Structures are given as structure tokens and as C-alpha cells.
Amino acid sequence: MKILVCIKQVADLESRFQVASGQTWFNETDLAFRLNEYDEFAVEAAVQLKEQTGGDLTVISVGPARASEALKKALAMGADQAVHVLEDQQLESFQTAQVIFEQIKAQGYDLIFTGMQSSDKGSGQVGLLLGEMLKINSVSCVVAFKYDGRIEVERELEGGLRAKLKLATPALVTCQLGLNQPRYPTLPNIMKAKKKPKSEVTSPAPASRLQVVALGPPPKAGAAELIEGDLLAQVSKVVAILKEHKLA
Amino acid sequence: MKALLIGEVLRGKLAPSLYEMLGFASQAGLESVVLVCAPISTNPQFTGKLYQGDGGEYDPLSHKAMALEVIAKENPDLVVLMHSSYGWDLAPRLAMELGWGQISEAIAFDSGTFNQVLVGGKLRRSVKTVSGQAVVTLQSGAFSEAAPAGSPALESISALKGAIEWLGYVEKPAQDLDLTKAQKIVSAGRGIGKADNLGMIQELAQVLGAELGASRPVVDSGWVEHSHQVGSTGATVTPELYMACGISGAVQHLAGMKKSELIIAINKDKDAPIGEVAHYVVVADLLQFVPALTKALKA
């Protein structure tokens, strides 16, 4: 079985973000980057399937040189080889999906995993667009996954409800948080990952279908009163607020 | 200008979010045509045309085909869905087939551009599509609902057979805890750092007579049961007191608690998006503040 997992490296959301000149993206200097959290679940699902079926697992990412760290993590988690499509521009979902499609269309993957969305943009488009480009079955927001010749999944709906579905391969699933428990790469596996095949390629991106008009911080809501300063003063203030509202 | 609004159906009922889409269309000055791909018990009230399909409730291939058929007849400039499990799944499929750009989870619309949230609410951008035609998904609760009024002209549309087999809905397990009835909630977020620190949040909850709530990452990490989860995939709560400990305020979490009467957030980052809905933000390390508050309340 040939398995693919698509991953993205994203800025850590705990960072402070400043708009870069050009007004379409944020300044990446001094930011920490990590493997997109949703993609960790996708990698884990792909590795588990490979362990179950004895398949071959490729990991692919589109991004600048720094994205190689995310690929290394996926290799250390159990992927067999990595493809890094070097891209310094900040692509929109359609462009990313098209770039991945061009790389993999002739490969005949049986199963493709992606995260349900990236934590930086949250569009939730790349996986489904890729499935459409490949003209294969796809299902989004999967919180349970089983393979027994066909795949059986549960999609997460709103309010705790799920939908159970069965579909034939080839197929693509996008993975929601909580699908599994992503493993931590062990030191021996991190060492082994260094010897796994990695290829770097370039591929021209199509024109974007979106135009960013402006980017900036959210308007200050103004509603929240900040309680700053000395710890004990903060505590007294909160106790006073609770008492005022008859909550303590 | 015309918009095709695609309503969603859950267990034979049309989701009320259709009125948010109608509200958006009316705000944007668009004529509305509605498509509902599966049978519904009661028709929506609006003035315009309602295409009624006879498909299953989740069947992407068949829903895509029905939408394309209606789009070919109606020539809309915008196709609008909610940014929900139904909408975010169908929208890219339509965008791909139409060759249009897609704008995900719009929170506002102003003179031809849509606003979106980036990096967990810390930035916003305004975007439009290059061609002017767009598939758009709307954030739940972002647009005011249109008042139900009028009676649509009905037209039937037939579903083809899809490729995904529907095995049914899976209920959430019965839960002892019903957060929606809690008068006070103290919630833990990713900022608590590790499971061991949950104890101090529980202790504060106990002292206040509050239930323990949690954000999604805390539940996904297995630190607490799903019944404690607040947000769009958990409980939507409106207690008298909501204390958010180490919760930065992802839109999905805010959707589940922003209508609480008094919201006090404890966060190291004074700019955390939770501040958009909180009444007070205590700028502090919760590992120090929470035990100190518990101690003061016990005294």
C-alpha cells in the first residue's frame, strides 16, 4: 500500500505577530515554527496504517527551507521518505493543493492523509482540493479511522455528534484533533530519520485566486479591563469583583 | 448580484444557520436562491427560490452535483455555506469544480471584501477573489440572522448516487455532567501546561462551587473527559461566571462561552483573543495566580 501524508510547518500561535511590509503576511523573523498540530494526527494515522499494512509512507511539504524541520519530525515519527517542495512565497490553499497535485499525480497513492486545517490560516481547503484534483473519494474532519480493505471513518459534526461512513480506496482523509495520540519521536528514531531519503524539488505555483487587501491586528474590543501588577493586588481585585457580583 | 445559499440538514431538520446566510445576503444586497440537498420537515421562510434535493444528509459527490446543476441554472456570483462540518467539506469541492477562489470562515463583509481571522485571532485580513466570483463559508454567529418571512417558490432536484456509504449517526455517550446547566464554570486551557496542574483549577472550581470546563486541547490531551469541553464541538454555555484559565481564545472556544454573564480570563498575554469577550483579563502566570486566589477565597 502506498501512503502519503501532507504536512505544513506553521508559526507557533503563542508568538506575537507583526504585519510584514507588503501587508499580506506577518514578519517571520524571531518566530518559532512547528509542525501544524492537525498534521501531527495525520502523520500518526499514516504511520499506524503503514504499520498495519506494511506499506510505504511518503511525507510531503510545501514551504521555505525552515519546513525541513517539520519533515524531519514526520520521518522520525515513522515516514519512509520526504519530499520538500521549496517555496518561499506564502501560497493560498488552491496554489498549495495544485503544487502537491503536480508532484504526486503520477504516484498512485492508495491513501492520503492531511490535517483538517492549518492552525495559522484555518481554511480547511488543501486536503479536499487535492482529493478533487485527483478525482478520488475524500472525507474531512475525521476523528476515527479503520482500514480493512475499505476505510471506515467517523466525521465529527457539531455538538458531539459524529457520522459514520465507509468508502473505497484510493481515498483522502483530513484529520481532526483527537483522532489518535501522536507519538513522540524517540532518540533512536530521530537518528534513523537522518538516513532516510529526502528530496528537494521546486515547482511553479499557479496564480492565486485570492487577493489580500489588508492585514492587521484585530480591532481592540475595549470591553476587557486589564488587571495587572502585583499578584496579591490582582487577587484582591478579583475577589472584590466576585463579591460585587455575589459569586463568592 | 445573486447568491446561492446552501442550507444544511441534520436528522431531517434544516439547520437554523440558513437565516444567518440569508442575513448576510441581505446585508450584502444580494438576491438569494437556496439549495437544500436532503429532505426537510419544515420549509424555511424567505422570499425567493428553494431548490429541494432528495439526497442523503452527507454525500459530497451527490451534493456537489446538485449544487452545480443549480449554479448552471441560476448563475450566482457567490456560493455561500456555513463554516461548519457540512460547509467546509462541500465548499472546496465546489470551488474546485467552478474554478473559483474560496474564502473560508468569513467574519464580516464590507464593500466587496471579506474579513478573516488568522493565527488564532491575533491577526485579521481582508480578502476578495481575483475573479469576483467566490465560494464563501461564514463563521457561525458572525452575521445577524434574517427574520423568517415569506414563502419560497419550490423546485425539486434529484440526487445521483454517491460513492461514500452512509452508516449512520453516532451519538455522544450519555454524560453525567451537563455544563449547559452550570451557574459557574472554571475552565482550563492549554496554558495550564500539563495534566498535573489541573488539580489547582479543580480546587478553585470547588471553592467557588463551580463546574470544571476545558478547552479542546485539554480534552484532546486526555486530561479531562469530553463532557467538560466548552466550544463549538462541545457545550455552549451561559453561566453567571466563566473563569478562563490559560485559554487564549480560539474562535471555536469563544463561540461556546461568549454569552456568559461575567467572564474573567487569566492569561500571561494581555493581547490574547480571549480579551475580545472577557470582562476582565488578569495578566498573570496562572500557576501563581490560581492558588493565590483559591487561598484568598478560602480565608
Side-chain angles (χ1 to χ4, degrees):
Chain A
M1 167 171 271
K2 286 186 75 174
I3 311 163
L4 177 74
V5 59
C6 307
I7 64 168
K8 181 181 185 183
Q9 195 196 37
V10 296
D12 191 308
L13 293 189
E14 299 300 316
S15 316
R16 285 184 178 276
F17 293 94
Q18 286 176 326
V19 177
S21 61
Q23 303 284 305
T24 60
W25 196 238
F26 50 81
N27 195 342
E28 294 196 348
T29 321
D30 298 332
L31 292 190
F33 286 85
R34 53 168 290 176
L35 174 57
N36 177 38
E37 191 176 9
Y38 296 82
D39 300 347
E40 290 182 9
F41 294 87
V43 173
E44 178 62 33
V47 173
Q48 285 184 11
L49 182 63
K50 168 192 141 72
E51 288 168 347
Q52 182 195 335
T53 64
D56 180 69
L57 172 57
T58 302
V59 56
I60 189 168
S61 188
V62 180
R66 59 168 164 75
S68 66
E69 290 304 316
L71 287 165
K72 277 186 207 161
K73 180 164 186 189
L75 289 172
M77 286 173 76
D80 297 302
Q81 60 266 325
V83 178
H84 186 172
V85 186
L86 285 163
E87 177 57 74
D88 286 333
Q89 292 183 75
Q90 187 53 47
L91 301 185
E92 293 299 336
S93 308
F94 165 72
Q95 298 173 289
T96 305
Q98 185 73 40
V99 166
I100 296 174
F101 172 70
E102 291 299 334
Q103 287 300 314
I104 65 151
K105 62 184 176 187
Q107 300 294 324
Y109 288 106
D110 300 292
L111 260 171
I112 301 175
F113 294 89
T114 72
M116 183 217 139
Q117 61 184 356
S118 60
S119 57
D120 55 357
K121 280 200 199 148
S123 300
Q125 296 181 27
V126 172
L128 290 158
L129 288 172
L130 182 60
E132 292 295 305
M133 290 170 182
L134 290 162
K135 299 188 171 23
I136 60 173
N137 287 331
S138 57
V139 170
S140 68
C141 204
V142 162
V143 285
F145 177 91
K146 245 186 353 204
Y147 174 78
D148 59 4
R150 291 203 296 163
I151 61 174
E152 189 177 302
V153 298
E154 287 178 20
R155 289 192 75 219
E156 185 179 60
L157 311 179
E158 285 69 23
L161 195 66
R162 296 172 170 201
K164 196 180 242 189
L165 306 158
K166 194 139 192 166
L167 54 155
T169 59
L172 180 148
V173 297
T174 82
C175 304
Q176 170 65 300
L177 305 179
L179 167 63
N180 47 42
Q181 291 192 315
R183 65 193 71 190
Y184 291 104
T186 59
L187 189 59
N189 286 341
I190 291 170
M191 300 312 287
K192 255 191 258 172
K194 293 187 177 173
K195 299 203 181 78
K196 290 180 177 175
K198 288 187 274 284
S199 60
E200 289 187 349
V201 295
T202 54
S203 177
S208 176
R209 289 172 174 176
L210 296 188
Q211 185 191 339
V212 180
V213 179
L215 174 72
K220 284 281 163 221
E225 181 184 325
L226 295 181
I227 302 174
E228 294 180 283
D230 171 62
L231 182 69
L232 289 177
Q234 290 177 310
V235 167
S236 321
K237 170 94 188 188
V238 171
V239 170
I241 293 164
L242 292 172
K243 290 204 162 133
E244 183 194 332
H245 288 83
K246 301 190 173 23
L247 292 164
Chain B
M1 295 263 284
K2 194 190 274 183
L4 171 64
L5 318 179
I6 305 184
E8 54 195 82
V9 183
L10 198 65
R11 298 181 149 170
K13 285 203 177 112
L14 177 64
S17 56
L18 176 64
Y19 292 100
E20 295 180 36
M21 293 191 265
L22 286 162
F24 155 74
S26 137
Q27 182 214 322
L30 301 165
E31 181 192 342
S32 295
V33 175
V34 174
L35 166 65
V36 176
C37 293
I40 47 176
S41 51
T42 312
N43 280 344
Q45 293 173 276
F46 69 97
T47 304
K49 202 184 258 180
L50 171 65
Y51 286 89
Q52 175 64 61
D54 60 357
E57 295 186 355
Y58 176 78
D59 193 348
L61 196 65
S62 138
H63 289 204
K64 181 175 77 172
M66 283 187 264
L68 291 173
E69 191 180 327
V70 174
I71 290 163
K73 277 189 192 166
E74 296 284 345
N75 281 312
D77 306 281
L78 285 182
V79 175
V80 183
L81 304 100
M82 295 308 292
H83 196 73
S84 60
S85 61
Y86 178 79
W88 72 55
D89 189 88
L90 185 54
R93 304 177 195 273
L94 294 173
M96 191 60 224
E97 206 70 49
L98 294 164
W100 295 3
Q102 182 189 332
I103 295 167
S104 291
E105 200 163 15
I107 57 165
F109 177 76
D110 183 25
S111 48
T113 70
F114 290 90
N115 287 354
Q116 290 176 306
V117 165
L118 297 186
V119 287
K122 291 187 175 178
L123 290 175
R124 285 189 186 184
R125 70 175 188 175
S126 93
V127 288
K128 56 184 182 181
T129 59
V130 174
S131 72
Q133 295 165 309
V135 177
V136 184
T137 59
L138 307 181
Q139 184 180 97
S140 175
F143 293 87
S144 308
E145 298 178 349
S151 162
L154 271 176
E155 188 162 332
S156 296
I157 180 163
S158 303
L160 51 79
K161 175 130 180 56
I164 293 178
E165 188 186 338
W166 173 260
L167 301 179
Y169 288 111
V170 182
E171 297 285 349
K172 62 179 167 187
Q175 293 169 343
D176 296 336
L177 172 67
D178 184 359
L179 274 187
T180 62
K181 296 201 170 71
Q183 294 190 338
K184 298 176 193 171
I185 296 174
V186 176
S187 266
R190 199 196 293 267
I192 67 168
K194 53 182 183 183
D196 291 352
N197 292 331
L198 201 61
M200 67 172 73
I201 309 294
Q202 280 167 318
E203 205 180 335
L204 174 60
Q206 205 170 18
V207 169
L208 283 165
E211 296 288 356
L212 177 71
S215 68
R216 175 158 200 146
V218 171
V219 174
D220 283 337
S221 302
W223 299 347
V224 297
E225 295 286 309
H226 180 263
S227 57
H228 293 273
Q229 187 175 316
V230 174
S232 51
T233 53
T236 299
V237 301
T238 52
E240 290 169 22
L241 171 66
Y242 191 89
M243 286 192 83
C245 307
I247 295 176
S248 64
V251 286
Q252 295 85 353
H253 188 80
L254 301 187
M257 47 64 74
K258 62 185 174 193
K259 291 183 179 151
S260 305
E261 285 174 38
L262 176 66
I263 302 171
I264 302 177
I266 299 142
N267 209 295
K268 272 192 277 199
D269 179 4
K270 68 179 166 64
D271 297 321
I274 189 85
E276 288 175 38
V277 301
H279 302 94
Y280 299 94
V281 177
V282 181
V283 186
D285 179 354
L286 72 92
L287 301 183
Q288 293 179 349
F289 179 82
V290 168
L293 178 62
T294 305
K295 194 174 155 202
L297 288 168
K298 271 183 181 168

